[in-house]
Amino acid sequence: MQVLWSAELIQKYSVNGPRYTSYPTALSLQPDFPASAVRAALAGSADELCLYLHIPFCQQLCYYCGCNKIVTRHSEKADLYLQSLATEMALYQPLIADKTIAQLHLGGGTPTFLTQEQLSKLMQLLRQHFVFKADPELSIEIDPRSCSLEKLAHLRQLGFSRVSFGVQDFDEQVQITINRVQSEDLVRALVTEAKRLGFSSINLDLVYGLPYQKPESFLLTLQSVLLLDPDRVSLFSYAHLPTRFAAQRKIPTQSLPQAEDKLALLQLAIKHFSEAGYQCIGMDHFAKTTDSLAIAQQQGKLQRNFQGYTTAGQDALIGLGVSSISQVNGVIWQNQKELQDYQQLLAGGQLPLERGFSLSQDDKIRAALISQLMCHFELDVPAFCHRFAIEDFWSYFADALPKLDPLIGDGLVLCSDHHIQVTPLGRLLVRLVCASFDRYLQSNSNQSYSKVV
Ligand SMILES: C[S@@+](CC[C@H](N)C(=O)[O-])C[C@H]1O[C@@H](n2cnc3c(N)ncnc32)[C@H](O)[C@@H]1O
Ligand code: SF4
């Protein structure tokens, strides 16, 4: 589907809002969430589950980073962490003994902070505790600076078939300012080797809105990225939240592109990836039309979970490790965000929960609607009503109408008794359309979210 561009409308609706990797969003999770709710959710879950495993360590601090990470040079810290993960796996093992794992994603922080021995140990622990489907999909996030060609080959041997490399921007001034200097040669060598080793999908992460990014230099980054011929590209809008992430205060405010210039960077990227034949999956993802993510969207089967767009695991994802979020069978829970608290609860034989939330029937209805719009930009109203036994769609969602009205007026979305359609003009603002159906948005401060574009 086409994306049309209106700088005027994007500026007009330049507000903060959720990315809807879940509904309700993580801000609605409540403390003192009982482990019994997690057990009950798992008992009634789908037969196939996905696993996300968080490795929080990084060797060096990137100033722009908004991830949950621990910067250290001591690789032995990861040995202790693996022990905690083993304890956590043992707690989950009896709860999902009759389920199979279809996908595993290692994220971070930096999973390739782990040595080859530690990566082998981790995979051994996982296979020891859980039943994997034959030929499961194993994916991993890689910081190019922490992955030798040998480690990459090791990952392939361990069964990983999908890799995601953090690139962000190739420009030197940008890299110096964000404290992440990595050469284009390094990334090219890894991507070339990943292809030779037979990895079936290669993703590159880019960020727009970084300090000193300008259309002229970003164009060079885009051209270099296209020459690397990745299967997917994630193009994140730089979330600048210096009150939350102290290191971002090291980035001079005057070096950040103004809203208009930031939009020009996005526009440039959309133009180049579309012209190169990539399918624009959502606001921030591009995939070759033959890639499984693009095919899932073409077939109306695309899903969304805490990792963003996905082919599986919506409402069937267990997150292991510090700060990880799970969502299974209408229940969301998050692990302790501080390593010490996470390890302490595990040492006491408890699931390391920090907070959680059980979705009501109304939450499930809104979650399904929001996911459908985020993934497919349209909704078949009668089919949706039939699925959830809703008599009159617009009476049920009467609270959304006043919020939708201006968006309808500006041609961002079309609404009728039969259909909701996010227009090509509205695609970049789909988060706002979804926000109209969000019952919790008023109570959760907007300041906690990043800009919708
Ligand atoms: C966990 S990192 C990827 C793996 C590895 N740590 C690395 O940096 O290469 C996830 C991605 O999130 C994105 N990211 C991090 N901080 C961000 C921020 N403040 N705003 C937007 N994207 C951000 C970056 O593109 C980064 O590659
Ligand atoms: S961007 Fe990646 S490598 Fe950099 S600090 Fe964040 S998680 Fe670590």
Side-chain angles (χ1 to χ4, degrees):
M1 196 220 202
Q2 212 190 347
V3 181
L4 282 185
W5 189 269
S6 161
E8 193 192 329
L9 287 177
I10 294 171
Q11 303 267 15
K12 174 174 171 185
Y13 292 108
S14 167
V15 292
N16 296 355
R19 294 176 62 231
Y20 292 115
T21 50
S22 71
Y23 177 83
T25 69
L27 282 187
S28 291
L29 305 189
Q30 300 296 321
D32 302 322
F33 193 69
S36 55
V38 170
R39 286 193 210 99
L42 291 169
S45 81
D47 291 339
E48 277 193 2
L49 296 171
C50 295
L51 282 182
Y52 169 78
L53 204 145
H54 192 76
I55 305 292
F57 307 108
C58 300
Q59 289 209 335
Q60 200 183 320
L61 178 65
C62 309
Y63 293 159
Y64 64 93
C65 180
C67 305
N68 184 301
K69 75 273 172 194
I70 296 165
V71 179
T72 175
R73 298 228 165 229
H74 300 289
S75 93
E76 63 278 9
K77 283 202 176 172
D79 289 323
L80 272 179
Y81 189 67
L82 288 185
Q83 283 176 23
S84 304
L85 282 173
T87 310
E88 193 181 8
M89 289 180 208
L91 290 171
Y92 275 105
Q93 184 180 35
L95 306 178
I96 57 168
D98 57 343
K99 320 278 181 196
T100 50
I101 306 300
Q103 293 187 357
L104 164 72
H105 182 74
L106 301 191
T110 301
T112 42
F113 178 91
L114 301 183
T115 62
Q116 287 177 210
E117 293 70 34
Q118 288 166 337
L119 283 163
S120 295
K121 172 83 183 157
L122 175 62
M123 290 313 294
Q124 185 201 336
L125 286 171
L126 283 162
R127 292 195 185 270
Q128 190 182 317
H129 287 90
F130 305 122
V131 183
F132 280 81
K133 205 178 137 181
D135 206 13
E137 199 179 291
L138 309 186
S139 57
I140 181 166
E141 291 169 18
I142 295 180
D143 175 346
R145 300 166 302 168
S146 68
C147 189
S148 61
L149 298 185
E150 198 190 337
K151 197 183 273 187
L152 190 66
H154 186 66
L155 288 168
R156 188 72 193 103
Q157 271 168 14
L158 288 174
F160 285 86
S161 60
R162 313 181 81 90
V163 278
S164 173
F165 295 106
V167 171
Q168 330 309 351
D169 193 313
F170 282 129
D171 183 78
E172 199 185 348
Q173 190 186 20
V174 174
Q175 290 196 353
I176 291 170
T177 315
I178 60 176
N179 198 37
R180 184 187 175 113
V181 177
Q182 58 179 36
S183 74
E184 209 175 313
D185 287 348
L186 173 70
V187 177
R188 190 181 310 111
L190 281 163
V191 169
T192 308
E193 182 65 357
K195 288 182 182 173
R196 198 189 66 78
L197 289 166
F199 281 92
S200 61
S201 177
I202 297 171
N203 177 81
L204 301 181
D205 281 349
L206 297 178
V207 178
Y208 71 95
L210 289 174
Y212 299 114
Q213 266 181 342
K214 290 178 197 69
E216 311 82 69
S217 57
F218 196 50
L219 176 62
L220 298 179
T221 290
L222 294 174
Q223 285 167 341
S224 300
V225 163
L226 282 172
L227 281 178
L228 295 174
D229 193 30
D231 300 284
R232 298 178 187 176
V233 174
S234 306
L235 174 71
F236 298 112
S237 165
Y238 173 43
H240 188 63
L241 302 163
T243 47
R244 242 172 91 190
F245 305 110
Q248 292 187 349
R249 291 175 217 149
K250 291 180 187 272
I251 296 178
T253 314
Q254 75 278 7
S255 69
L256 293 170
Q258 299 290 305
E260 211 172 307
D261 301 330
K262 189 173 172 185
L263 282 180
L265 298 168
L266 174 63
Q267 189 171 17
L268 197 66
I270 291 176
K271 177 174 177 286
H272 277 76
F273 288 123
S274 306
E275 282 175 6
Y278 285 80
Q279 186 169 317
C280 181
I281 300 292
M283 318 82 61
D284 48 15
H285 279 77
F286 302 87
K288 285 187 177 169
T289 50
T290 47
D291 181 90
S292 57
L293 209 59
I295 293 171
Q297 191 175 47
Q298 290 153 22
Q299 296 179 341
K301 293 179 185 162
L302 190 63
Q303 306 185 15
R304 204 154 162 82
N305 68 16
F306 290 103
Q307 271 81 66
Y309 289 105
T310 167
T311 53
Q314 181 164 307
D315 207 31
L317 174 76
I318 297 181
L320 301 176
V322 65
S323 79
S324 287
I325 309 186
S326 308
Q327 177 163 359
V328 178
N329 197 17
V331 178
I332 304 177
W333 64 94
Q334 179 166 32
N335 280 351
Q336 292 288 335
K337 285 194 269 242
E338 295 297 328
L339 185 60
Q340 210 184 349
D341 300 334
Y342 166 78
Q343 289 180 321
Q344 212 168 354
L345 281 180
L346 283 169
Q350 292 180 53
L351 283 176
L353 309 183
E354 182 169 300
R355 35 190 206 140
F357 192 93
S358 292
L359 275 74
S360 67
Q361 180 61 10
D362 177 66
D363 294 329
K364 289 178 188 172
I365 291 172
R366 288 171 193 265
L369 185 152
I370 287 174
S371 163
Q372 173 66 24
L373 290 180
M374 289 293 292
C375 292
H376 299 292
F377 302 92
E378 62 180 349
L379 182 89
D380 178 334
V381 170
F384 189 83
C385 288
H386 179 71
R387 179 175 163 201
F388 289 104
I390 296 171
E391 218 165 281
D392 178 354
F393 184 88
W394 290 112
S395 304
Y396 189 89
F397 290 110
D399 57 327
L401 274 170
K403 293 176 240 164
L404 282 170
D405 270 344
L407 308 180
I408 296 170
D410 279 326
L412 302 177
V413 59
L414 306 170
C415 297
S416 75
D417 287 340
H418 299 283
H419 207 207
I420 297 179
Q421 175 81 56
V422 179
T423 64
L425 203 57
R427 270 185 75 127
L428 290 174
L429 293 161
V430 62
R431 287 160 68 175
L432 268 188
V433 179
C434 294
S436 308
F437 296 93
D438 183 340
R439 272 184 102 150
Y440 298 95
L441 203 54
Q442 254 82 49
S443 44
N444 295 329
S445 159
N446 276 2
Q447 289 319 309
S448 313
Y449 300 113
S450 55
K451 284 258 188 288
V452 293
V453 174

